[in-house]
Amino acid sequence: MEAPAAPHNPAEPAQHGVSVQITVSSPEQMQELGRRLAKLLRPGDLVMLNGELGAGKTTLTRGLGEGLGVRGAVTSPTFVIARVHPSLGDGLPLVHVDAYRLGGGLDEMEDLDLDVSLPDSVIVVEWGEGKVEELTDDRLHVVIHRAVGDTTDEVRHVTVTGLGDRWAPVDLSLLAS
């Protein structure tokens, strides 16, 4: 994996935060990125994942689950909307949400009780943009770009942006190591 010199992608929505860009060349590297990301997370962290279908959101989350040491296989929660993966030890539980089928904002997601889970867990929301930002001002926004169309290219460009006071002092460049 490599991190380009530019600290922020100007094509991303205007956001105030600390960013790093990482190039990932394989699913194994995406999973490793998730394991490294897990080391930076603490209770109450919200991670929003966005990217095209097949970009690697669930693969990243699988690595995150491995890094957190959670129970159960991390798979796409598309049809169940949310899965809770308790910690196997003293670590953090992982709440993995797929908001793809949810049309509304936070109101539609209230039944998931994410606000109740947030203080004690790490919550990862795939397709969360425009739906869960109201949960907290402090969040990690991960955008995964991949070539679209008829391609077998495994290269992904990942932009990780830490928003809010929680992420201001965090050295996200550690993710590119």
Side-chain angles (χ1 to χ4, degrees):
M1 285 185 274
E2 61 184 67
H8 182 70
N9 182 355
E12 291 301 312
Q15 299 173 336
H16 302 291
V18 181
S19 292
V20 65
Q21 291 183 3
I22 304 154
T23 300
V24 176
S25 302
S26 69
E28 294 79 20
Q29 284 186 355
M30 185 67 77
Q31 210 161 327
E32 175 58 29
L33 176 59
R35 287 189 288 272
R36 283 199 307 276
L37 176 58
K39 294 176 185 175
L40 300 178
L41 297 175
R42 64 183 193 202
D45 282 342
L46 172 65
V47 180
M48 292 174 30
L49 299 179
N50 290 289
E52 300 89 1
L53 286 170
K57 297 178 293 296
T58 301
T59 301
L60 178 78
T61 306
R62 188 172 299 120
L64 209 157
E66 288 175 9
L68 292 173
V70 300
R71 185 178 72 209
V74 175
T75 59
S76 178
T78 299
F79 298 105
V80 295
I81 309 298
R83 282 196 175 96
V84 177
H85 297 274
S87 173
L88 287 171
D90 294 333
L92 302 173
L94 170 66
V95 178
H96 184 197
V97 179
D98 187 327
Y100 183 74
R101 290 181 167 34
L102 302 177
L106 192 57
D107 291 342
E108 188 173 337
M109 298 186 72
E110 275 186 358
D111 290 340
L112 299 177
D113 288 332
L114 294 180
D115 55 338
V116 173
S117 300
L118 187 60
D120 303 317
S121 306
V122 169
I123 297 181
V124 175
V125 182
E126 295 186 27
W127 306 97
E129 192 168 11
K131 298 175 183 170
V132 296
E133 290 90 341
E134 294 174 28
L135 280 174
T136 178
D137 290 333
D138 297 314
R139 60 189 176 274
L140 204 58
H141 190 205
V142 180
V143 179
I144 305 171
H145 296 282
R146 71 171 180 93
V148 293
D150 187 19
T151 180
T152 58
D153 191 358
E154 294 288 342
V155 174
R156 306 294 193 257
H157 300 285
V158 182
T159 303
V160 181
T161 304
L163 301 170
D165 294 338
R166 152 73 176 105
W167 293 102
V170 177
D171 184 5
L172 294 177
S173 68
L174 295 172
L175 296 172
S177 305

